Amino acid sequence: MSSFRPAAIIFDFDGVIADSELPSNHALAESLSAIGLPTTFDDCLKDYCGHNWRETQRRIEARLGTALPAIFHEDHLVRSQRWFKKGLSAVTGASEYLDATVHLPRAIASSSTKEFICAALDHFEFTPHFRGHIYSAADMERGKPKPDIYLRAAEGLRVDPKRCLAIEDSPTGASAAVAAGMHVVGLLAAGHIADYDAHAASLRSAGVHRVVFAFNEI
């Protein structure tokens, strides 16, 4: 990828390693509509994709005008599990790319919970690739687009952020990696991306150094 030679690679998770944005955003759209906030799948992608749950809940409650119902989390978990049981797969090309980069230290920097990330990595048989370097912004005060989670991952790997390659699929996450000073590739390989030109434009606006449509282009 041009002349940049990374000392480490930091991956977003949803939409980069796990092709999970389709089921997770369908579940969220259903859950929000069920509590009286009509929401479509596309609304969820536009308004919440890439953010941690703390920020997502803040945005939902601002639109709702009140706190989420006490039963919301339990009901949403049931819907999420139903959607994920339909099938959760790795993003096409992720396995081959991980196999090809074993010589570099690698980490996950995601807005999802660590429990979900670890369970999915086990399911894909990707866990050995990350050697415990799994970083979650789920409960961080400042999630993406702030750089904190990427800086934490670089610190954990003991690599200067400027020497890290970050791979992201969302403008929110890309902004975080750019703000961390990393070399950022926008990846459009997951199933939730419908308008490739518009999505690529949004990633470029976030400051990515390059947009690719498959892992083998990196």
Side-chain angles (χ1 to χ4, degrees):
M1 42 174 304
S2 69
S3 61
F4 181 73
R5 295 184 178 275
I9 305 175
I10 302 180
F11 298 80
D12 176 41
F13 190 69
D14 298 285
V16 171
I17 296 294
D19 205 346
S20 52
E21 294 291 9
L22 277 168
S24 62
N25 283 282
H26 275 300
L28 184 58
E30 286 185 1
S31 293
L32 295 181
S33 297
I35 61 171
L37 185 63
T39 306
T40 66
F41 170 77
D42 289 336
D43 291 335
C44 286
L45 286 180
K46 177 171 63 73
D47 297 331
Y48 310 120
C49 187
H51 293 286
N52 65 6
W53 178 250
R54 182 176 296 197
E55 174 61 15
T56 296
Q57 182 169 337
R58 186 194 68 76
R59 291 178 172 217
I60 292 168
E61 291 180 341
R63 291 180 171 91
L64 196 60
T66 186
L68 285 171
I71 197 68
F72 177 85
H73 295 285
E74 182 178 339
D75 287 348
H76 180 55
L77 179 61
V78 171
R79 288 190 179 90
S80 297
Q81 289 174 337
R82 186 173 69 244
W83 274 99
F84 281 116
K85 282 180 181 178
K86 294 180 181 181
L88 177 61
S89 61
V91 171
T92 300
S95 179
E96 292 81 0
Y97 187 76
L98 289 170
D99 288 342
T101 55
V102 292
H103 58 291
L104 289 170
R106 294 160 303 177
I108 297 286
S110 172
S111 297
S112 287
T113 65
K114 190 169 184 178
E115 291 77 13
F116 171 70
I117 298 167
C118 289
L121 288 175
D122 283 345
H123 176 64
F124 303 146
E125 299 183 351
F126 289 172
T127 300
H129 285 290
F130 296 99
R131 301 180 182 275
H133 289 289
I134 299 164
Y135 302 92
S136 169
D139 296 317
M140 293 179 69
E141 182 65 33
R142 301 199 327 163
K144 299 175 182 179
K146 300 299 184 182
D148 303 35
I149 186 61
Y150 273 104
L151 294 174
R152 177 182 291 181
E155 182 181 10
L157 291 174
R158 298 183 180 180
V159 177
D160 185 333
K162 293 180 180 178
R163 300 187 65 206
C164 293
L165 166 64
I167 304 176
E168 269 284 357
D169 73 301
S170 76
T172 300
S175 296
V178 169
M182 297 183 179
H183 190 98
V184 188
V185 167
L187 177 68
L188 286 77
H192 68 283
I193 299 171
D195 187 333
Y196 285 90
D197 289 340
H199 204 105
S202 66
L203 286 168
R204 291 188 182 101
S205 294
V208 302
H209 297 81
R210 186 180 174 201
V211 171
V212 300
F213 297 87
F215 268 104
N216 62 13
E217 296 177 27
I218 302 177

